[in-house]
Amino acid sequence: MLTVYDCLVNQHDLRLVVVAVVVCVFATATTFNLLAHVRRSKGRSRQVWLFIAAASSGFGIWATHFIAMLAFTPGLETGYDITLTVASLVAAIAATGLGMAVALAWNGRRLTGTGGAIVGGGIAVMHYLGMAAFEVPGRLVWDGALVWTSVASGIAFAGLALRVGLGGRGSAPISAGAALLTLAICSHHFIAMGAVAIVPDPALEVPASALSPAWLATAAGIASIVILFLSFAALILDLRDRRRIKLEKERMRSFADAAVEGLLVCDGGTIVSANGSFLDLSGFPLDEIVGTELSAYLPAPTVIARLFGQPDQSIETELRQSSGKAVPVELIMRRVTYADKPHNVIAVRGLRDRKQAEARIHFLAHHDPLTGLANRSSFDQRLDLEIEAHRKAQQRLAVICLDLDRFKDVNDLFGHSAGDRLLQDAALRLSAALCEGQLIARLGGDEFAVIVPGLDSPVQAGRLAEVMLEALGDREGDGPLSLVTASIGIAVYPDDAPHRAGLLSNADAALYRAKKEGRGTYRFFEAVMSEEVRERRSIEQDLRQALDKEELAIVYQPQTHIVTKDIMGFEALLRWKHPVRGDVSPATFILIAEESGIILKLGEWVLRTACGQAAVWDRPLKVAINVSALQLNSPNFVDLVQDVLKQARLDPARLELEITESVLIRDPERALHTLTELKGIGVSIAMDDFGTGYSSLSNLRNFPFDKIKIDRSFVRAIDRNMQAAAIVRAVLGLGRGLGLPVIAEGVETSGELAFLNAEGCKEAQGFLFGRPAPIEVFRNVTHSEAVA
């Protein structure tokens, strides 16, 4: 290699060597930029750009060689054979074109080395054709070892140049490839120049037709200009492509950011871009994501392999967020061309909302949405499983049915929101009272049920019922909710029934017995209860249809002045004649109507019918109508009364509404407001059944009553019962003191009448004055022409 060094230093003009190297650098850089454009082109355009790249490379190799030859100073006259000089240029272009075509043939790395070797061979062919065109007065002697070294150097570096330059994307591979190709050209040229020695021969002369160095310099200059032109063209193309790619990226990013789903663009498994939705979902900033591996965000090791192996198919997995938490996501991968290269686009859809919705749907399918307790379906499934398990283990279990007393009153009087709060409060209190393994469910309305498995003795179920009653009764304050208690029924498996339906039915029968016997308590099932429950349900069902079937009627009982015996008015009383049962006692069906809420419909019918009948009487007698708590506290009751009076054309002064004191304690403020409004339209208010239930003297002072009615339980045998006589005497005195007239109910004997007359009672009603009957029976009283 010392020969090569000596040739370069002592036989070359280093200034021109530098020019040759610079031209070579320009040429190789231009070549690789053009090759990048060739890779992006297709069809005929690809062939055109391949020729231009080959021309750039061929001109560069040729210009480098001949500029370096101009730098060669052997000290003899020199010239160049025109034909061989042109042939060397054509060979350079053809060889490099062929090598590039081979390297790009399959757009892969397998043949890039082969194509580069062909380019290296073309460098050698061009060089030695150029040396063959070299004319001097002497002979050229070659060092064979250096010749082969020059060829091997050109082929090796050129093969490596194309392998590196075409093996990646971006400016770094292009720059490395250009540097290696420059090294291939220059190393080959100067090693080859070191391999030649000139032996002067006076017998030889430079032909007159030989191209002089001056003309060669001109040709090399033209070649350099061509290279510069191609370099400028390549630069323009590169800038245009960069701008196009940038615009494409920006357009894709804008589309990606507009997507609701998260989007990742990956080069293999490396993330190159992400949209805003993915950044929001993951919590990572963009600069931390770009360049990282996809596996950093998908913890499951098999997910990426499945994702890339199954494009266009959704895969559910978890995504790691910046907080370290994992969220459920759905991934779908598709392959696209991005920045002129195949990429993987992964759509990332967050499943948290869907999972929550699915969990909510599953919860609602098995739970009550208001209280969060198990629903009837879940309760039935659990009870069936428990019955089967206890059958195999030969153990007892208990079913407890519970409902809230007067819940319908709360709903009707205070609105459904108050009822909902009451149910939620009850659910919390009842749940807290249970032990592990016990299940409570809301079966509907205000009805709850509890499964008590592993029962050693029915006493355990009774103790739990006591705990639940205590939990519900432990309410502070005196609001409407504090008035609500609970009734509980208990049935035991297998003593009371061997299956679910029987257990629930029997527990419900025990519940009805608890209500019937005072409420706020619990009862165990007894065989006799089943018939009572069926009877009550049958009555309720028939009662709902009684109006439509015209089974209901109103009868009237006269209210009479004790001294004059004149009838002052009538009390309207509801009667039900069942086609099968016959006359059903009001004591039976009125209670059921109140508990079921049917009383609102019945009460309106009684009000309209009685007022309509009273309106046609000739005499302005009063008509008294009983009003339940649900009616009085319903929001539109006053409007209803006004509408009835208007339609019937009845003077409001002739209507008297009778209420019991129990109505007042449920919501005193609402009751006072309603009674005041009724008084305002001219309706009279009577306190019914005074002396029973929740009697309080303060009620007479605080509420606008027009009359007091003494309950029949005090009037019965008043002439013989000293205690009853004392109470009636006190009530009559109270009435006189407050200026309120008093009417006695249930007067049946002349002795009772004599006592009342003696004590100053003015009015009375009862069988002594007339039994309840249809109004036609009293036509001689209600119509003046009959009296005349």
Side-chain angles (χ1 to χ4, degrees):
M1 298 305 292
L2 290 175
T3 303
V4 177
Y5 175 80
D6 182 66
C7 173
L8 178 62
V9 174
N10 297 320
Q11 298 179 18
H12 284 78
D13 184 343
L14 294 181
R15 292 171 297 179
L16 289 177
V17 169
V18 172
V19 172
V21 173
V22 170
V23 170
C24 186
V25 169
F26 267 105
T28 54
T30 301
T31 297
F32 275 97
N33 276 310
L34 291 171
L35 283 176
H37 195 71
V38 172
R39 296 176 70 178
R40 293 191 290 267
S41 303
K42 294 181 181 180
R44 188 174 184 82
S45 175
R46 181 184 179 93
Q47 296 175 0
V48 171
W49 285 110
L50 179 62
F51 173 76
I52 294 174
S56 173
S57 177
F59 270 102
I61 296 170
W62 187 84
T64 300
H65 171 79
F66 282 102
I67 293 174
M69 288 300 296
L70 291 174
F72 183 58
T73 54
L76 299 172
E77 180 184 0
T78 60
Y80 297 90
D81 183 274
I82 298 176
T83 302
L84 290 176
T85 300
V86 173
S88 67
L89 175 60
V90 173
I93 295 174
T96 54
L98 177 62
M100 293 174 186
V102 171
L104 296 174
W106 283 271
N107 196 26
R109 296 173 62 95
R110 290 183 302 166
L111 296 178
T112 52
T114 302
I118 293 174
V119 172
I123 294 172
V125 171
M126 178 271 142
H127 177 84
Y128 288 108
L129 276 175
M131 292 302 295
F134 187 53
E135 300 283 358
V136 291
R139 290 179 292 105
L140 301 180
V141 180
W142 296 93
D143 183 338
L146 287 178
V147 168
W148 287 111
T149 300
S150 69
V151 173
S153 173
I155 292 174
F157 283 119
L160 186 60
L162 264 65
R163 189 174 183 84
V164 172
L166 299 179
R169 305 278 177 171
S171 59
I174 290 177
S175 299
L180 288 169
L181 186 57
T182 299
L183 183 60
I185 296 170
C186 294
S187 65
H188 171 83
H189 176 84
F190 290 109
I191 292 174
M193 291 302 294
V196 66
I198 300 176
V199 179
D201 187 350
L204 299 175
E205 294 182 356
V206 176
S209 61
L211 188 66
S212 68
W215 282 105
L216 181 62
T218 301
I222 294 172
S224 298
I225 292 172
V226 171
I227 293 171
L228 287 175
F229 172 77
L230 293 176
S231 297
F232 182 71
L235 177 62
I236 292 176
L237 287 174
D238 185 62
L239 291 175
R240 190 193 70 177
D241 288 345
R242 288 176 183 271
R243 178 174 176 79
R244 180 179 57 81
I245 292 172
K246 181 180 179 181
L247 291 175
E248 180 183 345
K249 288 182 177 180
E250 290 177 352
R251 185 168 59 254
M252 180 173 284
R253 178 175 293 277
S254 65
F255 282 128
D257 285 337
V260 177
E261 295 177 340
L263 292 177
L264 285 174
V265 181
C266 298
D267 184 0
T270 303
I271 299 174
V272 298
S273 184
N275 71 342
S277 296
F278 181 81
L279 301 181
D280 294 338
L281 181 62
S282 67
F284 288 98
L286 182 61
D287 55 353
E288 288 188 19
I289 290 178
V290 173
T292 60
E293 293 298 315
L294 188 61
S295 58
Y297 308 97
L298 302 176
T302 61
V303 169
I304 297 177
R306 288 176 55 201
L307 189 65
F308 290 166
Q310 302 175 3
D312 298 324
Q313 294 188 20
S314 62
I315 297 175
E316 290 191 11
T317 184
E318 290 185 334
L319 175 73
R320 184 179 69 86
Q321 294 181 311
S322 59
S323 61
K325 295 182 179 179
V327 294
V329 294
E330 181 183 45
L331 307 178
I332 299 177
M333 191 276 288
R334 289 184 177 177
R335 293 187 173 90
V336 299
T337 299
Y338 176 73
D340 295 322
K341 181 182 178 183
H343 282 74
N344 300 316
V345 173
I346 302 172
V348 184
R349 179 183 301 160
L351 297 181
R352 179 184 296 167
D353 292 341
R354 194 184 83 182
K355 294 291 186 182
Q356 289 177 347
E358 291 175 351
R360 180 63 177 168
I361 292 172
H362 183 271
F363 180 85
L364 292 176
H366 297 84
H367 293 80
D368 171 52
L370 177 64
T371 62
L373 300 180
N375 60 12
R376 180 178 285 275
S377 175
S378 294
F379 181 86
D380 288 348
Q381 292 177 14
R382 172 71 179 274
L383 183 54
D384 287 339
L385 293 174
E386 292 289 354
I387 289 175
E388 180 62 21
H390 283 69
R391 183 187 65 79
K392 293 179 180 179
Q394 296 185 345
Q395 287 184 310
R396 285 189 176 101
L397 68 84
V399 172
I400 297 177
C401 283
L402 174 150
D403 76 4
L404 305 178
D405 302 326
R406 303 185 184 90
F407 174 74
K408 293 184 184 298
D409 293 3
V410 172
N411 246 0
D412 294 332
L413 301 181
F414 307 107
H416 290 288
S417 60
D420 289 347
R421 290 196 303 271
L422 176 59
L423 290 173
Q424 291 169 337
D425 178 68
L428 290 174
R429 291 171 181 270
L430 293 172
S431 299
L434 301 185
C435 298
E436 185 178 355
Q438 298 171 351
L439 173 72
I440 181 171
R442 181 189 175 204
L443 303 187
D446 63 325
E447 185 179 358
F448 299 85
V450 179
I451 300 174
V452 187
L455 208 64
D456 295 328
S457 168
V459 175
Q460 292 176 268
R463 289 174 181 167
L464 177 59
E466 292 174 354
V467 171
M468 290 193 293
L469 289 173
E470 183 179 351
L472 291 175
D474 185 22
R475 288 189 178 91
E476 298 180 357
D478 57 355
L481 301 188
S482 65
L483 301 175
V484 176
T485 57
S487 296
I488 295 177
I490 306 172
V492 178
Y493 168 88
D495 302 351
D496 298 328
H499 47 73
R500 167 167 51 87
L503 281 173
L504 287 171
S505 177
N506 292 340
D508 197 43
L511 169 65
Y512 174 66
R513 173 60 65 88
K515 283 186 173 293
K516 187 175 180 181
E517 295 182 358
R519 304 183 180 184
T521 186
Y522 70 93
R523 291 289 183 269
F524 283 92
F525 171 75
E526 298 174 7
V528 71
M529 296 178 181
S530 296
E531 184 60 33
E532 293 179 358
V533 171
R534 284 193 290 270
E535 178 70 9
R536 180 188 181 280
R537 289 176 177 170
S538 177
I539 292 175
E540 180 181 332
Q541 183 176 359
D542 292 346
L543 185 58
R544 292 184 184 277
Q545 303 172 3
L547 270 180
D548 296 333
K549 293 182 177 181
E550 298 182 350
E551 298 171 5
L552 297 174
I554 296 178
V555 295
Y556 294 84
Q557 187 172 36
Q559 296 176 335
T560 306
H561 194 282
I562 292 177
V563 176
T564 65
K565 301 299 186 293
D566 293 334
I567 293 178
M568 313 299 293
F570 295 91
E571 180 179 3
L573 302 172
L574 183 62
R575 294 293 183 264
W576 180 19
K577 188 175 184 61
H578 192 277
V580 177
R581 302 175 189 275
D583 291 328
V584 182
S585 169
T588 298
F589 75 80
I590 291 298
L591 177 61
I592 294 175
E594 289 180 343
E595 290 179 348
S596 62
I598 305 175
I599 194 66
L600 291 173
K601 184 178 180 181
L602 297 183
E604 181 178 348
W605 181 81
V606 170
L607 185 64
R608 290 188 182 278
T609 304
C611 289
Q613 292 178 347
V616 301
W617 301 343
D618 290 340
R619 297 182 61 193
L621 302 174
K622 278 197 172 186
V623 57
I625 300 173
N626 290 284
V627 176
S628 70
L630 290 181
Q631 288 177 278
L632 185 69
N633 290 284
S634 62
N636 62 343
F637 182 68
V638 175
D639 294 335
L640 173 64
V641 171
Q642 287 181 305
D643 180 65
V644 168
L645 292 172
K646 182 178 179 180
Q647 288 190 6
R649 297 182 180 180
L650 181 69
D651 183 359
R654 294 180 57 194
L655 176 62
E656 183 174 89
L657 300 179
E658 298 183 357
I659 66 169
T660 60
E661 287 187 283
S662 60
V663 174
L664 306 179
I665 69 166
R666 300 190 178 183
D667 190 354
E669 293 183 3
R670 181 189 289 264
L672 177 60
H673 178 73
T674 302
L675 293 178
T676 302
E677 285 191 320
L678 290 171
K679 289 282 291 182
I681 63 177
V683 175
S684 300
I685 309 296
M687 178 183 284
D688 196 14
D689 299 337
F690 185 77
T692 62
Y694 301 95
S695 294
S696 171
L697 298 181
S698 63
N699 289 334
L700 295 176
R701 181 188 64 187
N702 296 332
F703 292 92
F705 291 108
D706 299 291
K707 184 183 292 186
I708 301 174
K709 296 189 73 173
I710 302 176
D711 186 68
R712 67 190 57 177
S713 62
F714 298 109
V715 175
R716 186 178 301 116
I718 195 175
D719 53 335
R720 298 187 305 274
N721 188 319
M722 295 181 60
Q723 291 181 336
I727 292 174
V728 171
R729 192 177 292 116
V731 173
L732 291 170
L734 182 63
R736 285 191 295 270
L738 295 174
L740 295 175
V742 178
I743 181 172
E745 292 184 293
V747 179
E748 298 182 1
T749 66
S750 57
E752 293 168 354
L753 179 62
F755 179 87
L756 292 170
N757 188 30
E759 293 297 329
C761 183
K762 303 298 183 183
E763 292 184 54
Q765 72 180 77
F767 291 169
L768 184 64
F769 304 101
R771 291 180 175 273
I775 196 61
E776 291 81 7
V777 175
F778 303 101
R779 185 173 179 81
N780 62 325
V781 177
T782 59
H783 289 74
S784 58
E785 65 273 10
V787 175

